[in-house]
Amino acid sequence: MESETPVRAAVIYYSAGGTVHTLALAAAEGAEKAGAEVRLRRVPETAQHSGQHAGQGTGQDTAAGAAAEVRPGSPLSRVATADVPEAAVGDLDWADVVLFGTPTRLGTMSAPVKEFIETTGPLGSAGGLADKVYSAFTSSGTARGASGAGLLALVNVFCHWGGVIVPPGSPDPAADAAEDGAAGDVALEAVRYQAWRAVTTAAALAARRTHPL
């Protein structure tokens, strides 16, 4: 479903070891397939966590601890994200749809994503984050990584902002089959579908607001 004015979608993510980065690229593909104008943006490492355990990672985003991750300051991470601009609050203001990606850590979102969200106070207080479509994806790296809890932490934020939350749901079989750990074909297809669904929902809402029944 495409509107005359393209939906604007921002895919904003933090990835320690590359898994969430791969999922974010798939989300951007899904949003573009739905006809959206897309911004792909990465959340930078926080000063508190930069340099910790550098070079000790396995290449996966994990909830088991920072020591098991390839840090964003590592050569592997710099190469993977060299062309991705850093996220800014202005990207949220610009977007009609926002998809957040984060590793799940200790049952919640990663510290860099939380710190980024905490910079949105002035825009949120002005109502600039309300009535947008929000969705989120995560990777825990382990079967007991509490990915659902990480997503619920972001859902709480979206509720506070007054957003329209679009979960992946189960209309597409791929959405029921996403696995934890490295991003395989099923997980990538699931997040493409999730982004497509978020964009088409935003387009439908915009059409209804423009032409009320």
Short mmCIF file of all heavy atoms in Angstrom, two decimals, residues 1 131-133 164 166 200-210:
data_model
loop_
_atom_site.label_atom_id
_atom_site.label_comp_id
_atom_site.label_asym_id
_atom_site.label_seq_id
_atom_site.Cartn_x
_atom_site.Cartn_y
_atom_site.Cartn_z
N MET A 1 0.84 -1.19 0.00
CA MET A 1 0.00 0.00 0.00
C MET A 1 0.88 1.24 0.00
O MET A 1 1.68 1.44 0.90
CB MET A 1 -0.90 0.01 1.24
CG MET A 1 -1.76 1.25 1.38
SD MET A 1 -2.80 1.15 2.87
CE MET A 1 -3.64 2.72 2.72
N ASP A 131 1.36 10.08 18.17
CA ASP A 131 0.64 9.73 16.94
C ASP A 131 1.53 9.18 15.83
O ASP A 131 1.09 9.08 14.68
CB ASP A 131 -0.17 10.93 16.41
CG ASP A 131 -1.19 11.42 17.42
OD1 ASP A 131 -1.74 10.57 18.15
OD2 ASP A 131 -1.42 12.64 17.49
N LYS A 132 2.76 8.85 16.15
CA LYS A 132 3.61 8.16 15.19
C LYS A 132 3.43 6.66 15.36
O LYS A 132 2.99 6.19 16.41
CB LYS A 132 5.08 8.54 15.39
CG LYS A 132 5.39 10.03 15.18
CD LYS A 132 6.85 10.31 15.48
CE LYS A 132 7.17 11.80 15.38
NZ LYS A 132 7.13 12.29 13.99
N VAL A 133 3.79 5.89 14.35
CA VAL A 133 3.75 4.43 14.44
C VAL A 133 5.10 3.93 14.92
O VAL A 133 6.14 4.32 14.38
CB VAL A 133 3.39 3.81 13.07
CG1 VAL A 133 3.63 2.30 13.09
CG2 VAL A 133 1.94 4.11 12.72
N VAL A 164 1.38 4.93 18.27
CA VAL A 164 0.57 3.83 17.77
C VAL A 164 1.51 2.64 17.61
O VAL A 164 2.41 2.66 16.77
CB VAL A 164 -0.08 4.17 16.42
CG1 VAL A 164 -0.89 2.99 15.89
CG2 VAL A 164 -0.97 5.41 16.56
N VAL A 166 2.70 -1.00 16.60
CA VAL A 166 2.41 -2.05 15.62
C VAL A 166 3.36 -3.21 15.86
O VAL A 166 4.52 -3.19 15.45
CB VAL A 166 2.56 -1.53 14.17
CG1 VAL A 166 2.31 -2.65 13.17
CG2 VAL A 166 1.59 -0.38 13.93
N THR A 200 2.82 0.27 6.17
CA THR A 200 1.47 0.23 5.57
C THR A 200 0.40 0.65 6.57
O THR A 200 -0.60 1.25 6.19
CB THR A 200 1.16 -1.17 5.01
OG1 THR A 200 1.32 -2.15 6.04
CG2 THR A 200 2.09 -1.50 3.85
N THR A 201 0.63 0.36 7.85
CA THR A 201 -0.31 0.84 8.87
C THR A 201 -0.28 2.36 8.96
O THR A 201 -1.34 3.01 9.04
CB THR A 201 0.06 0.24 10.24
OG1 THR A 201 -0.07 -1.19 10.17
CG2 THR A 201 -0.86 0.76 11.33
N ALA A 202 0.91 2.94 8.93
CA ALA A 202 1.03 4.40 8.96
C ALA A 202 0.36 5.04 7.75
O ALA A 202 -0.30 6.08 7.86
CB ALA A 202 2.49 4.81 9.04
N ALA A 203 0.52 4.42 6.58
CA ALA A 203 -0.11 4.96 5.37
C ALA A 203 -1.63 4.91 5.48
O ALA A 203 -2.33 5.85 5.07
CB ALA A 203 0.37 4.16 4.15
N ALA A 204 -2.15 3.81 6.03
CA ALA A 204 -3.59 3.70 6.19
C ALA A 204 -4.12 4.73 7.18
O ALA A 204 -5.18 5.34 6.97
CB ALA A 204 -3.95 2.28 6.66
N LEU A 205 -3.40 4.96 8.27
CA LEU A 205 -3.82 5.97 9.24
C LEU A 205 -3.80 7.36 8.63
O LEU A 205 -4.70 8.17 8.87
CB LEU A 205 -2.90 5.91 10.46
CG LEU A 205 -3.04 4.70 11.37
CD1 LEU A 205 -1.92 4.68 12.40
CD2 LEU A 205 -4.40 4.69 12.05
N ALA A 206 -2.76 7.65 7.85
CA ALA A 206 -2.66 8.97 7.21
C ALA A 206 -3.81 9.19 6.23
O ALA A 206 -4.39 10.28 6.17
CB ALA A 206 -1.32 9.11 6.50
N ALA A 207 -4.17 8.14 5.48
CA ALA A 207 -5.26 8.26 4.52
C ALA A 207 -6.58 8.52 5.25
O ALA A 207 -7.41 9.31 4.78
CB ALA A 207 -5.35 7.01 3.68
N ARG A 208 -6.78 7.87 6.36
CA ARG A 208 -8.03 8.05 7.10
C ARG A 208 -8.11 9.45 7.71
O ARG A 208 -9.18 10.05 7.75
CB ARG A 208 -8.13 6.99 8.20
CG ARG A 208 -9.48 6.98 8.90
CD ARG A 208 -9.58 5.80 9.87
NE ARG A 208 -10.85 5.78 10.54
CZ ARG A 208 -11.94 5.20 10.06
NH1 ARG A 208 -11.90 4.61 8.89
NH2 ARG A 208 -13.09 5.22 10.75
N ARG A 209 -6.99 9.97 8.16
CA ARG A 209 -6.99 11.31 8.74
C ARG A 209 -7.25 12.36 7.66
O ARG A 209 -7.89 13.37 7.90
CB ARG A 209 -5.65 11.59 9.41
CG ARG A 209 -5.43 10.84 10.71
CD ARG A 209 -4.00 10.92 11.17
NE ARG A 209 -3.78 10.10 12.36
CZ ARG A 209 -2.61 9.59 12.69
NH1 ARG A 209 -1.55 9.81 11.95
NH2 ARG A 209 -2.50 8.86 13.80
N THR A 210 -6.72 12.09 6.46
CA THR A 210 -6.91 13.04 5.36
C THR A 210 -8.34 12.98 4.82
O THR A 210 -8.91 14.01 4.43
CB THR A 210 -5.92 12.73 4.23
OG1 THR A 210 -4.59 12.77 4.76
CG2 THR A 210 -6.03 13.76 3.11
#
